[in-house]
Amino acid sequence: MRVLMNAGPWLSVPPRGYGGIENVVATLVPPLRDLGVEVVLASVGTSTLPVDELLSVFPDGQFSALQRPYNQVCGVAQAHMHRVVRALRERDDIDLVHDHVEAVGLATMAALGRDAPPALHTLHWDLAKHPELYGGFDGGGRVRVNGVSASQLARAPEALRAHSVGHVHLATPLATGADRRPRPTKGDHLLILGRITPGKGQDLGARLAHEYGFDLILAGPVGPYHDPADLPPDADNPDARYFRERVAPHVDGQRVRWIGTVSGQERDELVANAKAVLAPLRWEEPGGTFVVESLALGTPVVALARGCLPELIEDGRTGLLTDDENELAELALAADKIDPAECMAEAARRFTPARMASQYLELYERFIHSHSCNRVDTLSYGVGSRALP
């Protein structure tokens, strides 16, 4: 099987530091190739993930352009998708496209003709967005979607849900052998991991840290700014305004610190040594990469029970969940009652790359077989006018 894995033009694969979707692709591709799948990766030129072939338009990621005005940035995703479409027209060796590009990837795949390969589009985001696209979507039997959690799909518009082939939870390489690693040494700090944006609720976490007296570290970028020293005081994008107006007033460098993006061993040690990872969510979290990474490193997650969190966390065993913002702080202070070994064992059981890859391969095979049968039926019984090749 040869799959065109469309990661998009925004960041390299794997990303240097932050990069949610790109990290998912970097986690999925190696075990897929171990299972015999050949992978053509559509990304940017700086991607270093070992694959069978790399397609790119841009030499490096275009993430910094994402929050610029639409008329300045609308051609980025289109240029990338044009390259993907051209490849699909020029070659006949792609059995399936696995697309990860929000909105434009799905629309472009659906617009291709019946001779294009089947496409599976993974939904990584909040499906309340793009209601006109999702509410009237028609993949023509050739484009299907999958979610990254059951709760995400349950909130999808009916037209999109009708195209679903199910969900596959996210994974992390850290989960492989996690149950055989020694228990981490815990410090006193709590951690919020991820991009600083209103849906993640860093302002709530920072306020609670001061009110209830716990130390909190914020680790993640503000818009395109990965280092506190690089963030201009008047940066004009939504995440920067949110940080400046809602989060920064609580960041005193002692009780609450923002350290920017961390990656690699530094990130892993920061998570493993945390008393807990805090998730004061203000949106319905669709996938929860930070959850599976935290559990794999032996750190419980204390969270508002939004989105997929109840699917990933067993309340009282691998984390603590609540619907009450004020109770969240009390649970954070009690997080040391969760056994890190239980968190690591759960990650090793449920969230390894090998498990995710085997689930996707099963989806690929079922979808390709179903598409092939449907196409033969359509061509043989006159729904359309083409003859069998």
Side-chain angles (χ1 to χ4, degrees), residues 142-180:
R142 195 184 50 77
V143 180
R144 298 288 185 181
V145 303
N146 78 279
V148 289
S149 67
S151 66
Q152 179 200 35
L153 288 176
R155 294 177 173 86
E158 183 179 350
L160 191 65
R161 200 163 56 244
H163 289 76
S164 169
V165 293
H167 71 276
V168 178
H169 286 140
L170 302 177
T172 173
L174 296 167
T176 303
D179 53 339
R180 299 191 295 273

Side-chain angles (χ1 to χ4, degrees), residues 366-383:
R366 278 199 289 123
F367 183 23
I368 290 171
H369 176 73
S370 172
H371 174 72
S372 176
C373 291
N374 289 342
R375 185 168 182 269
V376 168
D377 287 345
T378 297
L379 297 174
S380 297
Y381 294 100
V383 184

Side-chain angles (χ1 to χ4, degrees), residues 33 38 41 48 83 88 135 213 245 262-263 281 386:
R33 297 181 79 217
E38 296 182 358
L41 177 65
T48 58
R83 178 69 183 93
L88 295 176
E245 296 169 5
V262 290
S263 59
L281 300 172
R386 291 183 70 253

